[in-house]
Amino acid sequence: GAVVSQHPSWVICKSGTSVKIECRSLDFQATTMFWYRQFPKQSLMLMATSNEGSKATYEQGVEKDKFLINHASLTLSTLTVTSAHPEDSSFYICSARDYRSSYNSPLHFGNGTRLTVT
Amino acid sequence: ELKVEQNPLFLSMQEGKNYTIYCNYSTTSDRLYWYRQDPGKSLESLFVLLSNGAVKQEGRLMASLDTKARLSTLHITAAVHDLSATYFCAVATNTGNQFYFGTGTSLTVIP
């Protein structure tokens, strides 16, 4: 089945530093990937839609300069949290769909990255 | 902005009992999905519902969709401990293909 790999699984960083999270589709190609953020015991909030070869589309209220998204190939999207602060601590999950699959098919999710900013 | 609400948020039920989780959404969509999330893990796809009146069943779980009422239900029959998890519904927009998730229902099945 379709596998989405996310790396790292967890990361601890100091305030003011930047962290890059990678999302790879291992056995399929994805023209679009989605980045979500999840706070403890809460739902997933869509942050942005990552489009291969073009700019990401950000949801309202998400700072594009804070959360940099790059989708350089059909199998890789990256999310960089710049100048991280403790309030950025969260669980970040990426998802993707095989571009050849049906429009209706479900998204496949990575295992998530738990970011802790100290 | 598309809003997706689930209730209840928390559900504690005994093994062998039945219960229904409800998912309401605020705008027109003909695609609704149910996912399961175990603690600290990612999401597993359970059901894809694509039309009004659609019903899907897998084991002790059955999902249905009423697009006119903008309502989906996830029914649990004769619950077992292994079903303990958080369940999310998600609605896909008809235009941008983004998925918006419900508030989640944390289910605990007690022996």
Side-chain angles (χ1 to χ4, degrees):
Chain A
V3 177
V4 176
S5 174
Q6 203 172 326
H7 179 81
S9 299
W10 58 270
V11 57
I12 301 172
C13 70
K14 292 186 177 181
S15 285
T17 61
S18 295
V19 174
K20 180 186 284 187
I21 302 170
E22 292 187 348
C23 179
R24 294 182 184 272
S25 53
L26 296 186
D27 49 1
F28 65 96
Q29 293 180 322
T31 53
T32 304
M33 293 185 177
F34 302 91
W35 287 96
Y36 289 85
R37 181 174 182 177
Q38 186 179 32
F39 291 102
K41 299 188 186 300
Q42 294 189 24
S43 187
L44 284 78
M45 293 184 56
L46 179 63
M47 297 175 66
T49 303
S50 172
N51 304 299
E52 187 268 335
S54 65
K55 291 182 179 180
T57 304
Y58 290 82
E59 293 297 298
Q60 191 172 7
V62 178
E63 299 176 61
K64 59 181 67 176
D65 295 330
K66 173 76 169 176
F67 299 100
L68 300 179
I69 291 173
N70 184 274
H71 193 155
S73 76
L74 287 172
T75 58
L76 173 64
S77 174
T78 60
L79 169 67
T80 301
V81 183
T82 63
S83 187
H85 291 285
E87 57 265 31
D88 298 324
S89 299
S90 190
F91 192 54
Y92 294 88
I93 309 177
C94 70
S95 66
R97 181 192 286 117
D98 187 336
Y99 84 101
R100 300 166 303 176
S101 67
S102 163
Y103 177 74
N104 299 320
S105 61
L107 293 179
H108 302 286
F109 285 82
N111 285 331
T113 297
R114 185 161 303 285
L115 170 64
T116 302
V117 184
T118 61
Chain B
E1 180 185 338
L2 194 156
K3 292 188 177 180
V4 186
E5 294 183 345
Q6 284 178 240
N7 71 83
L9 297 182
F10 299 95
L11 176 57
S12 180
M13 55 191 298
Q14 286 187 314
E15 280 190 333
K17 297 293 186 181
N18 305 332
Y19 208 84
T20 300
I21 299 170
Y22 297 88
C23 172
N24 291 89
Y25 53 99
S26 64
T27 194
T28 302
S29 173
D30 53 6
R31 293 182 291 149
L32 190 133
Y33 304 79
W34 283 95
Y35 286 87
R36 168 181 172 147
Q37 185 180 37
D38 291 294
K41 300 292 181 64
S42 191
L43 283 82
E44 172 192 354
S45 176
L46 295 175
F47 297 108
V48 179
L49 302 169
L50 302 175
S51 61
N52 187 40
V55 177
K56 295 277 184 76
Q57 183 164 5
E58 181 72 34
R60 301 173 188 276
L61 300 178
M62 183 172 71
S64 66
L65 177 63
D66 181 343
T67 58
K68 294 181 180 178
R70 298 178 184 174
L71 169 69
S72 179
T73 61
L74 180 66
H75 187 73
I76 303 156
T77 302
V80 293
H81 181 67
D82 286 351
L83 290 179
S84 297
T86 299
Y87 293 84
F88 291 98
C89 62
V91 177
T93 60
N94 288 342
T95 53
N97 203 28
Q98 290 92 345
F99 279 45
Y100 291 89
F101 281 80
T103 44
T105 296
S106 176
L107 170 66
T108 303
V109 180
I110 304 167

